[in-house]
Amino acid sequence: MSLSHGVIDDQGALAIRAVSKSYQVDGRALQVLKGIALDIAPGEFVSVVGASGCGKSTLLRLIVGLDTAYDGAILLDGRRIEGPGPDRGIVFQDHRLFPWLTVADNISLGLEAANVPIPEQQRRVAENIALVGLDGFENAYPHQLSGGMAQRAAIARALVGEPEILLLDEPLGALDSLTRAYLQEELLRIWRQGGVTMIMVTHDVEEAVYLSDRVVVMEPRPGRISAVLPVDLPRPRDRAAAEFIRLKERILRALSR
Ligand SMILES: Nc1ncnc2c1ncn2[C@@H]1O[C@H](COP(=O)(O)OP(=O)(O)OP(=O)(O)O)[C@@H](O)[C@H]1O
Ligand SMILES: [Mg+2]
């Protein structure tokens, strides 16, 4: 939800309606998602947790529009998602930067492809490099970055198209715990500053409770939503607070059922 001209715009509402998805494996249909239904409000921060293989990444792929072969509907601001578009950005666990391009060139790649005029490209790249705290590393190559810095570059690349929704697939999963805690704060700052709707897959229940407005718990075979828990704790959150720990334990119980 961004403030422009003093009016709150409500771009970035996602409606997932009865989504089911099967893959063909060895000539047989393997159902991966079954009856997924979820409404996400503009500017909301939602985390998705669930056992390995329960379809979390598949669900993100459908929202990005990388795969349109499924039943049901996914609507962004009332319009059906037909394929990838600039209104959605995605960050994966591995940064997926091109090693032969500088940080700035990795970030501007999508803008180039969309024929955004060069001065506008430069403005947006600089803005997003500053947003993720990579000033001074514009001309560095990916191998010259730490894991945390590479993830920042990947986040900048996902944000440079000015998406309404940022999809994050275990974005901090490969980082050490200190870098991870630091980037959690950064994600919150970026979320507050840009007002983008965030949907984050994570295996870390504490991370989900720390960051999100709601935590979606999925269960496998076939992948379904088994619980949606609101996190009604004021921010900044205290990981040691009794209520925080209670909610974390509730989610862990829901996960192990
Ligand atoms: N292209 C594909 N073809 C066939 N099966 C697939 C394909 N992609 C995923 N699957 C299957 O779909 C299921 C869900 O996979 P998905 O990657 O969405 O799980 P996930 O919840 O993201 O797991 P993880 O937590 O390990 O990342 C798995 O059983 C997987 O084997
Ligand atoms: Mg996955």
Side-chain angles (χ1 to χ4, degrees), residues 31-254:
Q31 186 162 38
V32 173
L33 296 174
K34 187 178 177 193
I36 303 288
L38 187 67
D39 279 293
I40 297 176
E44 196 177 5
F45 198 136
V46 170
S47 287
V48 181
V49 297
S52 182
C54 73
K56 304 179 297 295
S57 296
T58 301
L59 183 60
L60 291 195
R61 280 175 61 79
L62 301 187
I63 299 171
V64 185
L66 290 170
D67 188 343
T68 51
Y70 60 88
D71 294 323
I74 305 179
L75 310 170
L76 175 56
D77 298 323
R79 291 180 308 274
R80 201 185 169 105
I81 289 170
E82 308 276 9
D87 46 15
R88 283 145 293 141
I90 187 158
V91 177
F92 301 95
Q93 182 170 7
D94 49 333
H95 57 71
R96 302 191 188 187
L97 299 169
F98 290 117
W100 58 86
L101 294 179
T102 63
V103 166
D105 289 345
N106 265 291
I107 295 172
S108 64
L109 209 56
L111 299 180
E112 240 165 78
N115 291 319
V116 174
I118 301 232
E120 167 80 3
Q121 282 187 32
Q122 288 169 337
R123 184 187 64 74
R124 284 216 228 159
V125 168
E127 196 178 285
N128 281 283
I129 282 181
L131 182 68
V132 299
L134 278 181
D135 295 287
F137 290 91
E138 293 80 356
N139 298 318
Y141 286 88
H143 77 271
Q144 298 172 309
L145 306 176
S146 70
M149 290 162 78
Q151 271 318 60
R152 288 162 188 271
I155 293 168
R157 180 185 54 189
L159 288 172
V160 78
E162 300 180 346
E164 294 167 21
I165 299 193
L166 183 61
L167 301 155
L168 303 142
D169 197 351
E170 302 184 47
L172 312 182
L175 303 173
D176 66 89
S177 56
L178 254 180
T179 309
R180 191 178 181 125
Y182 188 64
L183 279 187
Q184 287 172 355
E185 299 302 329
E186 295 285 279
L187 273 182
L188 279 180
R189 182 178 58 76
I190 290 164
W191 173 62
R192 267 195 298 262
Q193 206 164 319
V196 69
T197 306
M198 297 246 199
I199 306 175
M200 181 181 71
V201 169
T202 178
H203 275 116
D204 183 340
V205 171
E206 179 171 305
E207 177 169 280
V209 175
Y210 188 71
L211 295 177
S212 338
D213 295 316
R214 282 189 297 163
V215 180
V216 174
V217 181
M218 288 180 65
E219 59 184 16
R221 286 180 294 274
R224 292 149 287 167
I225 293 178
S226 57
V228 180
L229 295 109
V231 186
D232 291 322
L233 301 173
R235 293 183 176 94
R237 291 178 180 158
D238 176 4
R239 297 172 203 258
E243 263 195 87
F244 189 103
I245 294 167
R246 215 173 300 136
L247 188 54
K248 212 171 96 178
E249 278 166 2
R250 264 182 74 195
I251 295 167
L252 285 169
R253 270 199 304 280

